[in-house]
Amino acid sequence: MQLQINNSPFNEEQIELLNRLLPTLTDQQKVWLSGYIAAAQSAAPTADSAATLQDVPEAAPHSQPAGPAPSKDVTILFGSQTGNGQGLAEDLSQKLKAQDYNVTLSSMDDFKTNTLKKVENLFVIVSTHGEGDPPDNALSFYEFLNGRRAPKLENLKFSVLSLGDTSYEFFCQTGKDFDKRLEELGGERLYERVDCDVDFDESAEEWFEGIISALNETQKAVVSNPQVETPEYSATAVQSNYSRTNPFRAELLENLRLNGRGSNKETRHLELSLEGSNLQFEPGDSVGIYPENDPELVNKLIDEMSWNPDEEIVINKKGERRSLRDALRSTYEITVLTKPLLEKAAPLSDNNKLHELVKEGNEEELKDYIYGRDLVDLGRDFSPWNVPADEFVSILRKIPPRLYSIASSATANPEEVHLTIGTVRYDAHGRERTGVCSGQCAERAELGDTLPVYIQRNPNFKLPEDPETPIIMIGPGTGAAPFRSFMEEREEIEAEGKSWMFFGEQHFTTDFLYQVEWQRWLKEGVLTKMDVAFSRDTEEKVYVQHRMLEKGQEFYKWLMDGAVVYVCGDEQYMASDVHDAMKTILQQEGGMNEQEADTYLEDLQQQKRYQRDVY
């Protein structure tokens, strides 16, 4: 068969070449060539990158088929209480997609465990909560992985990013547990686990780069698009340029003390302007504030260490320099001691007592010393130091942002965000002490000043999509903050679902936070019910869990009617007591035994009908 110029798209020279080639081809070569042309067309190469026949190795007639290509499928699972883990997971997902990986991104409680055995590349990002416990949305997957139904994972490659806080004893314990268990099940560690402290940005970025590099090595291919820039994670990455690593300077519009005269508590109501930031948020989200250390405390530390306050030091990897006084005020944490910090400090001191304190086996003594002390105490107790300021400061971690539940609705208060902040004050080891951020807001933040802020999404603490769904809110003290935002939002959208608020504090006359607003919402029907507990107004202390038990029958009925339960506030005591009260109600009113009640509450969490924002 000869090609003719009048019925083909080829020119004369091409036709001549084809007519010379085609008669020489075998049937196998013709089939191969047709497949090659089809593949080349689907790849749609540019003129600069077009392949030639010489680029393709000759196929031997009896060659074995090539083995399967390394998988481009990646699964990212996150367990996150406050949203940091989810934010990092979303950031990683974007980076991997930019390099043509197929990414499945899921919270651990939404992940179908029966598909785990099919996963080839798994990246786990998880925080540690409480005393080494998994966050709420990681609990079910954690238990599955450590249970008898966990599958063998010989084909799995994995890596773990752990989020934690070195001031807690069980630093990054959940991440360590996941890392160990995945290896026990047969998984191969693609990249070593990275444990992050509260200033996690640089460590997380290094982990991102490490796992992507390791993944690309397994692909044995050139990265498809290394120049793509990934937007920085923030609650509103598309709409706003501001984020955790680029906070917005929000002007302070209002700063009120909510407690009445005579209260031994100081709770502040702050209103901040977000005008010009394009930052957006939903009820249940939080604001992160980057605070500054008390200048008086900074001066005490400089005096104690005999440093020059005007000496310039490098504060980051970019080589940025600041005076020592400015760096200690705005960059470095000086109010909290941790075991890792003391271990790094010991070689810088000639004091044998410090060397003895950090020795293995002295954990309890070290723990006792750390509690309630700061860097001034460390400098004073273990002098002489005789160490240059820049060398000592290099062992300090950056001041972590403080997260506060948002107490307002953006729908009701556009361009503003409201916060409820309890001022931390206490005496310890002969000195009065104040919380870094709460003290700044109470004592040094003046109207018109600005605070560096960002929005921290909390997808694990959200109003139900259906506004007719009943909700139960349990928030003593500053735990009432997100529920103020809930009620403002429901008022604006005219939600018709029932709502029930449990609030507790010390005294009715001085500590009933936002009392006028709750009473107005009750009167207008925006809030259906409210039960309060003021623990110091009665001889026997009464807390929110006691009010729940008193109304156990009605509480159980609301649960059966599909109510979503929200708990906000202290985790160590209140949240645990509230959980136990719910268990008791299920047993007493629902006839369940203890195991059945536990299972019911676990199911509620799975269904997003039991949500907690605890700290």
Side-chain angles (χ1 to χ4, degrees):
M1 177 180 176
Q2 295 286 311
L3 287 175
Q4 301 297 322
I5 193 167
N6 59 359
N7 64 356
S8 78
F10 302 105
N11 61 34
E12 288 187 39
E13 183 181 357
Q14 290 171 326
I15 287 177
E16 183 181 350
L17 290 171
L18 287 170
N19 281 332
R20 288 167 54 190
L21 173 65
L22 289 173
T24 69
L25 298 179
T26 65
D27 290 341
Q28 182 182 11
Q29 288 172 328
K30 291 175 183 176
V31 171
W32 184 94
L33 184 60
S34 65
Y36 168 78
I37 292 172
Q41 284 179 323
S42 66
T46 63
D48 291 336
S49 63
T52 65
L53 290 175
Q54 286 89 338
D55 294 327
V56 184
E58 182 179 353
H62 302 291
S63 64
Q64 295 295 320
S71 173
K72 296 281 285 186
D73 295 331
V74 172
T75 298
I76 303 172
L77 298 182
F78 60 85
S80 175
Q81 194 76 31
T82 63
N84 283 331
Q86 177 164 351
L88 290 170
E90 290 171 349
D91 195 2
L92 176 61
S93 175
Q94 291 299 318
K95 290 178 183 293
L96 288 169
K97 286 178 180 178
Q99 300 203 18
D100 289 345
Y101 286 96
N102 308 314
V103 180
T104 298
L105 174 67
S106 175
S107 66
M108 291 182 180
D109 59 352
D110 289 335
F111 181 69
K112 295 181 179 179
T113 53
N114 59 2
T115 65
L116 180 61
K117 194 170 179 63
K118 301 175 185 177
V119 174
E120 295 182 49
N121 298 301
L122 174 65
F123 299 124
V124 171
I125 300 176
V126 66
S127 60
T128 294
H129 212 53
E131 299 300 313
D133 300 320
D136 288 349
N137 67 348
L139 188 58
S140 59
F141 184 69
Y142 180 89
E143 292 177 345
F144 165 78
L145 209 61
N146 287 279
R148 299 181 64 180
R149 295 180 181 274
K152 295 297 181 183
L153 301 172
E154 291 91 348
N155 297 321
L156 180 74
K157 290 182 172 61
F158 72 93
S159 185
V160 176
L161 181 72
S162 308
L163 302 180
D165 183 339
T166 50
S167 64
Y168 286 87
E169 181 178 0
F170 300 100
F171 173 62
C172 285
Q173 188 61 49
T174 301
K176 294 173 183 177
D177 292 345
F178 271 116
D179 186 60
K180 178 182 177 183
R181 184 57 175 160
L182 288 169
E183 183 180 42
E184 289 174 348
L185 293 172
E188 177 186 348
R189 198 174 282 103
L190 181 69
Y191 188 78
E192 288 298 316
R193 186 189 77 247
V194 170
D195 297 334
C196 298
D197 203 352
V198 287
D199 52 341
F200 56 76
D201 299 285
E202 289 183 1
S203 299
E205 190 62 37
E206 290 174 6
W207 184 72
F208 288 173
E209 293 173 1
I211 61 173
I212 291 173
S213 176
L215 261 184
N216 290 337
E217 281 295 315
T218 67
Q219 297 297 316
K220 296 182 181 178
V222 178
V223 177
S224 62
N225 193 2
Q227 301 303 317
V228 174
E229 293 186 5
T230 304
E232 219 162 34
Y233 167 68
S234 74
T236 54
V238 176
Q239 298 89 349
S240 177
N241 293 323
Y242 298 102
S243 66
R244 175 187 165 93
T245 53
N246 182 33
F248 174 71
R249 302 290 311 197
E251 181 183 353
L252 182 59
L253 303 175
E254 194 66 82
N255 189 350
L256 302 173
R257 178 169 179 168
L258 294 177
N259 305 88
R261 185 177 300 174
S263 174
N264 62 1
K265 291 196 169 188
E266 182 180 356
T267 310
R268 313 295 300 192
H269 173 82
L270 270 63
E271 298 182 4
L272 299 169
S273 171
L274 298 181
E275 185 175 359
S277 70
N278 288 328
L279 287 170
Q280 300 170 18
F281 60 87
E282 297 177 347
D285 290 342
S286 298
V287 160
I289 299 178
Y290 282 98
E292 291 188 348
N293 288 311
D294 185 344
E296 289 188 13
L297 186 66
V298 170
N299 291 337
K300 281 183 181 178
L301 176 60
I302 291 173
D303 291 343
E304 195 65 51
M305 302 297 285
S306 300
W307 288 333
N308 175 8
D310 298 320
E311 176 186 346
E312 286 201 342
I313 62 170
V314 176
I315 63 169
N316 56 34
K317 292 183 178 180
K318 298 176 182 177
E320 184 181 349
R321 304 177 72 86
R322 288 188 189 172
S323 72
L324 178 62
R325 177 183 280 117
D326 286 347
L328 291 174
R329 188 183 73 246
S330 61
T331 303
Y332 293 104
E333 183 173 67
I334 64 174
T335 58
V336 176
L337 299 182
T338 65
K339 179 181 177 182
L341 175 62
L342 264 66
E343 289 173 340
K344 292 175 184 176
L348 305 180
S349 170
D350 295 330
N351 192 305
N352 289 329
K353 291 182 180 179
L354 180 56
H355 298 162
E356 288 294 322
L357 186 62
V358 299
K359 277 186 177 180
E360 190 174 349
N362 286 345
E363 283 77 12
E364 286 303 316
E365 186 179 351
L366 178 61
K367 189 176 176 181
D368 289 343
Y369 177 79
I370 285 172
Y371 185 76
R373 288 185 169 90
D374 59 23
L375 215 58
V376 173
D377 297 304
L378 181 68
R380 181 176 301 163
D381 294 342
F382 300 110
S383 60
W385 291 92
N386 300 322
V387 58
D390 59 346
E391 186 177 348
F392 190 94
V393 169
S394 69
I395 71 173
L396 303 180
R397 68 181 185 181
K398 302 293 175 60
I399 298 178
R402 269 55 172 182
L403 289 177
Y404 296 101
S405 298
I406 292 174
S408 60
S409 159
T411 310
N413 302 278
E415 302 288 335
E416 291 183 13
V417 65
H418 302 175
L419 304 175
T420 311
I421 300 178
T423 307
V424 177
R425 301 184 193 277
Y426 60 100
D427 292 335
H429 311 291
R431 279 174 42 216
E432 293 182 359
R433 315 204 180 217
T434 307
V436 178
C437 192
S438 65
Q440 178 183 353
C441 293
E443 298 173 356
R444 303 187 299 279
E446 302 289 342
L447 299 188
D449 289 350
T450 61
L451 295 171
V453 304
Y454 66 95
I455 300 298
Q456 175 72 59
R457 288 187 302 162
N458 189 353
N460 303 311
F461 203 76
K462 283 286 171 282
L463 281 167
E465 291 184 11
D466 183 356
E468 294 188 3
T469 302
I471 62 172
I472 301 174
M473 303 166 287
I474 305 164
T478 56
F483 304 132
R484 181 177 185 265
S485 76
F486 279 19
M487 299 313 298
E488 284 193 351
E489 180 78 5
R490 286 169 69 87
E491 182 177 27
E492 288 294 316
I493 66 174
E494 299 181 352
E496 296 183 357
K498 297 187 299 180
S499 55
W500 189 355
M501 177 67 184
F502 287 88
F503 175 77
E505 251 297 356
Q506 290 190 353
H507 299 285
F508 171 81
T509 55
T510 59
D511 303 319
F512 197 164
L513 307 184
Y514 303 114
Q515 177 184 1
V516 173
E517 295 178 50
W518 297 119
Q519 290 176 333
R520 178 179 66 80
W521 284 322
L522 277 169
K523 182 179 179 181
E524 296 176 359
V526 179
L527 179 63
T528 310
K529 286 177 60 67
M530 186 169 192
D531 280 280
V532 295
F534 295 100
S535 58
R536 303 301 192 273
D537 283 348
T538 54
E539 186 174 333
E540 185 176 349
K541 292 180 180 178
V542 178
Y543 299 106
V544 287
Q545 65 268 22
H546 299 126
R547 296 297 185 223
M548 292 167 58
L549 291 169
E550 289 172 4
K551 300 295 177 67
Q553 186 175 7
E554 190 172 3
F555 194 101
Y556 180 76
K557 185 178 186 307
W558 278 53
L559 284 180
M560 295 303 103
D561 289 342
V564 180
V565 180
Y566 299 91
V567 181
C568 182
D570 167 66
E571 177 185 34
Q572 188 174 6
Y573 301 109
M574 183 277 298
S576 176
D577 292 339
V578 165
H579 185 88
D580 289 343
M582 289 175 65
K583 266 180 64 174
T584 300
I585 290 170
L586 291 171
Q587 291 173 278
Q588 292 180 347
E589 305 298 333
M592 303 180 191
N593 59 36
E594 185 174 1
Q595 184 176 354
E596 289 169 338
D598 283 332
T599 301
Y600 185 87
L601 291 176
E602 289 171 8
D603 289 343
L604 281 186
Q605 288 183 312
Q606 288 282 338
Q607 299 166 33
K608 314 293 187 189
R609 287 184 52 207
Y610 178 19
Q611 302 181 28
R612 307 195 311 164
D613 180 10
V614 293
Y615 39 84

